Amino acid sequence: MINRLSTVLECSRVFALPMTIMAWFVAFTYAVSVSGNVNFGLIALLGLALVHLSANILDDYFDYKTLIKQVNYDKQEYLKNSQKTKCRLLVLGYIKEKELLIIAAIYLAIAGSIGLFFYLKCGVGVIYYTIIGGIIAIFYSFLSKLRLSELAIALAYGPALFGGVYYVMTKTYSWEVFLLSVPTMLVTVILLYIHTIMDFKFDLNEGHKTIANSFKSQKDALVILKWLLILAYTTPLLLCIFDVLDWQVCLVWVTIPLAKDLYKSLELFAENPDSIPEHKWYHFPMENMRNAPSFMIRMYQSRNLTIYYSLILALAIVLALN
C-alpha cells in the first residue's frame, strides 16, 4: 500500500507542489490581513494542489503518448529522447496509462467538488476562476506545444490563483491582489522557464514549442531568464508605488544571492548538461535526485528560490499590514 502511494505521488510529481503552496501562501496571508475566511483559504489550498497534481499527470500522459508514436515504443529509444525524470514509472511498467487517467480524474473530481462548495458559499465569481484553472490543467500539454506554457503558468499562478483565493476568503474582487500576484507569478514562471531550458532538446523531440527552444541554443535562451530575474526583483517596488504594501517588500532582495547562483548554475548547464553545480548551505532542501542529479539539483535550486522568495514576501505583508 505504501509503495503504491509512493508511486502515485511520484507520477504526480509531488516534489513540484511547493510552487503552488507558496503562491497560495502569499495570497492567503494577504487575504487574512483583511479578515478573510481562514478555513475557506485552507480548503482552497487543497483544491489548488489537486488541480496542480492532475495537470502534472496529464502533461506526462500526453507527452508519453506523443513520444512513443515517434519511437514506435522502443523503450531504449524513448529514454534517449525524453527527460529521465519524466514518465519514468510509466515507461518501466510500474503504473499503467489507464491508471494515470483514473488518478487525474479523481484529483479533478475532488477539486471540482471543492469548486462547487465555494460556488454555493461564495457566489458566481468562483466559476470564472474554476474554469480558468480547469482549462489550463487539462490543456497545458497542448498549450506547451504552441509556446504558450509560460503564459498559461503566468495566468494560473498570477491573477487566477491570487484572485480565486482572495475571492473565496473575502467574497470580493480586488485589483490590489492582482498586482500583488505579479512578483510571485514571475518566480514561478522562472521555475518553469529553467525546466524548459534544461529540457531544450527533449522538448524538441517531443514536439514542444517553448520560448527557450525558439532560440538557437540553451545559452542564447538564458537572456530571457536574466530578464525574468530582473523583473522578479524590481516589480515588488510597484507594490510600494501603488500603495499596496510598504518598503518591507524589499526584504525579498535578500534572496538575490540565490538568484545569482541559479543563473550561474544554468550557464554551467548550457556548457555541460552533466555538470553538477557547487552546493552551498542555503541551496537546501534537496531530496531524491531520481537518477538525474544534474537536472534535479537545478530544479531544487529554482524551487527553493520560489519558496524563500514567497515566504519573505508573505512576511513583508504581515509587517506592512499589521
Side-chain angles (χ1 to χ4, degrees), residues 93-166:
Y94 292 131
I95 196 165
K96 297 178 182 179
E97 297 174 39
K98 184 178 179 180
E99 290 176 315
L100 278 185
L101 291 179
I102 291 173
I103 294 167
I106 291 172
Y107 287 157
L108 288 174
I110 298 173
S113 299
I114 291 173
L116 177 61
F117 167 80
F118 281 134
Y119 168 70
L120 296 175
K121 293 290 185 178
C122 304
V124 70
V126 171
I127 294 178
Y128 308 139
Y129 297 112
T130 301
I131 289 174
I132 293 172
I135 289 175
I136 292 174
I138 295 171
F139 295 103
Y140 176 77
S141 182
F142 302 101
L143 293 171
S144 67
K145 299 180 189 299
L146 303 172
R147 291 201 173 94
L148 294 175
S149 55
E150 286 82 4
L151 178 62
I153 291 298
L155 179 60
Y157 284 88
L161 186 151
F162 274 71
V165 170
Y166 188 84

Side-chain angles (χ1 to χ4, degrees), residues 18-19 22 183-184 186-188 190-191 194 225 228-229 232-233 252-263 282-286 297-313:
M19 64 189 285
M22 288 299 104
T184 50
L186 286 167
V187 293
T188 305
I190 285 169
L191 195 156
I194 286 171
L225 176 60
L228 286 172
L229 287 168
Y233 287 99
V252 298
W253 291 347
V254 302
T255 64
I256 289 177
L258 273 172
K260 290 176 64 177
D261 286 347
L262 181 59
Y263 186 81
Y282 50 79
H283 287 160
F284 292 89
M286 291 190 176
I297 284 174
R298 290 171 171 91
M299 286 306 299
Y300 288 142
Q301 277 186 281
S302 56
R303 180 203 65 181
N304 293 347
L305 173 62
T306 302
I307 292 173
Y308 298 144
Y309 185 105
S310 301
L311 286 174
I312 293 172
L313 184 57

